[in-house]
Structures are given as C-alpha cells and as structure tokens.
Amino acid sequence: MPVYVLRHFRAEIIRLLFVLKGQEFEDKLYTFDTWPAEKPNTPFGQLPVLTVDGKDYTEYMAINRFLAREFGLMGSNSQEEYEIDRVISLSNDVSAERIKVFNEKDSNKKTQLEKSLKEKVIPTFMGKLQQLAGSKGTGFTAGSKLSLGDLIIFDTIDGKTDDATMDKYPNVKAIIHNVRSNERMKAYLAARVPTPFD
C-alpha cells in the first residue's frame, strides 16, 4: 500500500480525493509562518507537493488528475474523462479570480473583486455547468458516481454562494448534494481543518 504525504497551504481537492477513496494520508498543512523553513525542501520552492513512497509530485491540478486516475475517479472511459476535463477547464476562470481576491491588498478593490466573484464569476460558472456538466440531471459530472469533476464543483461553489442562487441551478445543486451526502464526506466535512486560504 503506497504511503502518501501531502504538504500544502490549501489543496482541498486533493484532500477530498483521499477522503472519497478512503485512503489514509499524512496531511501537512503549512502557514505563512511555517512555510519559509520548508520551502528549500520542496521541488521548485512551491506547494502543494504530494509525496508517494518517497517520490514527489508537483502542480496542483496535475496531482488531482494523477490521484483521480489512481483511485478510479477520473471516469470509466474517454468520454467521461473528457466531461471531467471540461469541468477543470471551466473552473480555471473562478480559480484565477479567487487568486486575485486573495492577493489584493487594497481593501476597496478587494471588496469589489469579492462582489464580482460572488455575483458574476461563480454564477457564470454555474450557468455553464447547468448546461454542460450537470445537464443530465443525474447529480454527477460524468457517469453515475462521484468523480474528480464533482469534487472540483463542490470545492469551487460550496459555501461561496447563497441558497437563492443555488436554486437557479438545480442540476449543479444535485452535484453538491451528492458530494455532501457521501458518508465519508460527511465525517470529513464535520471535522475539516481550515487552511490559511479559507
């Protein structure tokens, strides 16, 4: 059985993959205070880093896709893998905006960016998902079981929009529900440790 060690500031999708699979891993969460001492010990001097039996893996989304394949959560055929990859591409715009919000130092500009993220960027993402990834109304991005695509949607949306907005996108809401109602996820979410980015 492989030994997994995850070093990160916030790598929630990787955590969710481990939880969904039921795979134990060592979760090393760094803060901006503890990071400088660890930085020289990482490839490229950045996080996250996933170490599997002593071998380091880098680049967040590449790690997500690697683990999803290892755990059977990347679809059962090329069509389903495409549907998951499509969600990854759609989520990139939201991720870029979230980084802008986090990095903005001016409080007024930060407030404006947060408002745009909540009122424009995330609803646009959800609208696309309603038409594409969630259009089947099954509550799954691909096939008939939870996958990496569903975890990305959950991490991108959950807790970042209101109920009224969620109700406009029932197929997306069904995906969020399926993630939250998974027994392993329930236990994890109830005890989840926040990160510096939450």
Side-chain angles (χ1 to χ4, degrees):
M1 184 71 71
V3 175
Y4 297 95
V5 180
L6 175 61
R7 291 177 283 170
H8 66 111
F9 292 123
R10 187 187 193 279
E12 192 61 19
I13 298 168
I14 298 175
R15 282 170 151 183
L16 295 176
L17 284 164
F18 280 124
V19 171
L20 187 56
K21 179 64 177 177
Q23 172 64 56
E24 291 186 4
F25 69 104
E26 185 176 352
D27 190 7
K28 291 189 172 184
L29 179 61
Y30 289 87
T31 66
F32 296 118
D33 292 329
T34 60
W35 165 237
E38 180 66 14
K39 185 174 182 177
N41 303 320
T42 61
F44 314 130
Q46 63 186 35
L47 296 176
V49 176
L50 176 67
T51 305
V52 185
D53 290 338
K55 179 179 175 63
D56 288 336
Y57 293 79
T58 61
E59 301 303 321
Y60 186 39
M61 198 51 69
I63 295 170
N64 287 328
R65 296 178 90 259
F66 165 74
L67 279 181
R69 283 200 182 92
E70 290 290 297
F71 295 165
L73 300 171
M74 196 63 197
S76 59
N77 54 51
S78 58
Q79 176 63 33
E80 291 183 5
E81 184 169 337
Y82 159 73
E83 291 168 356
I84 293 167
D85 276 333
R86 184 169 57 180
V87 170
I88 292 171
S89 294
L90 288 173
S91 71
N92 287 340
D93 289 341
V94 183
S95 297
E97 290 301 314
R98 286 170 69 177
I99 290 170
K100 285 182 187 178
V101 171
F102 181 80
N103 289 330
E104 182 56 58
K105 304 303 182 188
D106 183 283
S107 60
N108 290 330
K109 289 181 181 178
K110 193 181 192 77
T111 299
Q112 291 174 358
L113 288 172
E114 288 173 339
K115 187 173 188 291
S116 175
L117 180 65
K118 181 178 181 180
E119 297 180 1
K120 295 179 181 179
V121 179
I122 289 178
T124 297
F125 173 64
M126 293 170 70
K128 291 177 180 178
L129 292 174
Q130 182 70 17
Q131 295 178 59
L132 301 174
S135 62
K136 299 183 293 296
T138 61
F140 302 104
T141 299
S144 57
K145 67 176 185 176
L146 291 175
S147 69
L148 172 60
D150 303 309
L151 300 183
I152 289 173
I153 291 169
F154 177 80
D155 184 58
T156 303
I157 295 172
D158 188 63
K160 301 172 185 72
T161 190
D162 53 50
D163 290 341
T165 301
M166 285 297 306
D167 289 341
K168 296 176 183 177
Y169 308 98
N171 295 333
V172 181
K173 187 175 181 178
I175 290 173
I176 301 295
H177 170 75
N178 281 346
V179 174
R180 277 200 161 275
S181 61
N182 176 274
E183 290 303 319
R184 288 173 177 163
M185 287 296 175
K186 278 184 186 177
Y188 170 74
L189 294 172
R192 178 159 54 175
V193 176
T195 77
F197 288 89
D198 290 324

